[in-house]
Amino acid sequence: VTGTNAVGSGTGVLNNAVSPLNTTLSSGKYYLQDNTRGQGIFTYNANNKSSLPGTLMSNTTNAFTTSTDKAAVDAHFYAGKTYDYYKSTFGRNSYDGNGTSLKSTVHYGSKYNNAFWDGTQMVYGDGDGTTFIALSGGLDVVAHELTHAVTSSESNLTYQNESGALNEAISDIFGTVVEFKTQSSKADYLIGEDIYTPNISGDALRSMADPTLNGDPDHYSNRYTGSADNGGVHTNSGIINKAAYLISAGGTHHGVTVSGIGIDKLGTIFYRANTTYLTSSSNFSQARAAVVQAASDLYGSTSAETTAVKNAFTAVGVN
Ligand SMILES: Cc1cccc(C(=O)O)c1OC(=O)C1CC1
Ligand SMILES: [Zn+2]
């Protein structure tokens, strides 16, 4: 809408206070439209139907605190935080580098246990209340979805088999990096922990530190070779996620010891690989070469950072 910039507040999915919320005042209504980032961040309500984008969320108070508002508040606020990470760390203006507006829709479908980037926008279900609560309530989830958009604009890794698992792992990696940079006190190497199984504590949709906790492989010898889930893109991502975890935090895996280099450098190295070396058809072995080259460019071919990358990929059986 055309209007003036305003600053409101709200309540998130976990009943947390959210402020500031960048909104737009137009004709006496406040809209979830943030004009301060790129060409804008817009958050819509699908009203539990499946037509997109739905209706731009608004109210007359600029306080977004109703139960319907909560998923939208987090989608809006967390999209802004993810935008900020890419802009302040890499100078990247929105997912395509051109400031293209970020659109999110919440309350998609009925009890929908999914979140996705549809090629144009982010979409979040409410969850069924047992497997998931509203999925935009997790910062790592929002950053995961927005990173699919970044990947589509850069390497454009084909969403199946090994390239698809790389696509997934890159989204998990940046979901986690953004969480560490933005919510440092509650950051972890778990994915979706804030919105997964509300009745079970300590679990998550995936673990980068130990993918086997969710039955996903942490070594290439255990990769899934079937056709389910586009050839296991959310399963075989565990192999790359484990390598990423080792690069950042260090550890010994299958007898190979990695000296961790920290979460910031993990993000910087994978960002360069995704924007400079990976292509749509890259497989795991080619990804190793891409990430090694990115580390070498950034820190030197004999650096501790490049050594950590090599050892981490060796530890998960990718050569
Ligand atoms: C919950 C879900 C189902 C299907 C695909 C995705 C997808 O976006 O790949 C998905 O969202 C995630 O994986 C986010 C990280 C929690
Ligand atoms: Zn994904």
Side-chain angles (χ1 to χ4, degrees):
V1 295
T2 301
T4 57
N5 291 355
V7 180
S9 61
T11 305
V13 169
L14 302 179
N15 293 312
N16 51 302
V18 178
S19 174
L21 217 44
N22 294 103
T23 59
T24 300
L25 174 58
S26 173
S27 309
K29 282 186 172 182
Y30 295 90
Y31 292 84
L32 286 186
Q33 175 180 320
D34 173 0
N35 308 302
T36 71
R37 295 175 167 102
Q39 290 161 48
I41 298 180
F42 301 76
T43 303
Y44 299 82
N45 180 2
N47 199 28
N48 293 116
K49 301 210 177 11
S50 51
S51 61
L52 293 172
T55 310
L56 193 64
M57 211 84 166
S58 72
N59 65 22
T60 57
T61 63
N62 211 15
F64 291 81
T65 57
T66 71
S67 56
T68 303
D69 291 338
K70 293 177 181 177
V73 164
D74 281 340
H76 197 69
F77 186 75
Y78 289 154
K81 291 301 178 190
T82 305
Y83 174 95
D84 291 349
Y85 166 76
Y86 280 106
K87 187 75 165 49
S88 62
T89 313
F90 310 113
R92 185 185 193 89
N93 186 4
S94 192
Y95 62 87
D96 64 354
N98 300 323
T100 299
S101 58
L102 295 177
K103 294 191 173 85
S104 303
T105 295
V106 296
H107 303 310
Y108 178 84
S110 174
K111 300 181 186 303
Y112 192 61
N113 286 324
N114 271 352
F116 59 95
W117 169 259
D118 78 347
T120 305
Q121 64 163 100
M122 290 164 277
V123 185
Y124 301 97
D126 290 330
D128 60 13
T130 303
T131 301
F132 288 107
I133 57 176
L135 281 93
S136 57
L139 170 56
D140 55 0
V141 177
V142 172
H144 175 109
E145 302 312 337
L146 194 41
T147 296
H148 278 308
V150 173
T151 295
S152 294
S153 298
E154 294 294 344
S155 61
N156 196 25
L157 283 156
T158 301
Y159 204 64
Q160 68 175 355
N161 303 330
E162 290 190 14
S163 55
L166 284 164
N167 188 317
E168 268 303 304
I170 287 168
S171 275
D172 282 349
I173 287 164
F174 285 100
T176 294
V177 172
V178 171
E179 188 178 295
F180 268 93
K181 300 306 289 176
T182 309
Q183 296 179 326
S184 53
S185 62
K186 56 180 278 197
D188 53 39
Y189 289 93
L190 297 171
I191 303 293
E193 69 282 355
D194 289 340
I195 46 90
Y196 187 64
T197 59
N199 301 318
I200 302 169
S201 64
D203 66 344
L205 184 59
R206 291 185 287 277
S207 167
M208 298 179 72
D210 185 2
T212 69
L213 289 173
N214 296 75
D216 299 325
D218 61 2
H219 194 274
Y220 194 67
S221 62
N222 295 321
R223 68 193 178 282
Y224 172 73
T225 56
S227 61
D229 187 30
N230 301 108
V233 300
H234 294 95
T235 300
N236 290 331
S237 53
I239 296 160
I240 304 300
N241 281 349
K242 179 73 181 192
Y245 168 76
L246 290 168
I247 290 166
S248 177
T252 300
H253 185 56
H254 283 262
V256 180
T257 297
V258 183
S259 297
I261 62 173
I263 196 77
D264 288 3
K265 289 177 178 174
L266 174 69
T268 303
I269 290 166
F270 269 84
Y271 181 78
R272 182 167 180 79
N274 199 17
T275 57
T276 310
Y277 297 113
L278 290 169
T279 70
S280 56
S281 61
S282 294
N283 62 27
F284 281 13
S285 178
Q286 291 164 327
R288 174 194 171 117
V291 179
V292 166
Q293 188 58 56
S296 300
D297 296 346
L298 290 161
Y299 307 105
S301 58
T302 62
S303 64
E305 293 83 354
T306 301
T307 301
V309 168
K310 289 177 177 175
N311 289 338
F313 276 92
T314 299
V316 299
V318 175
N319 298 298

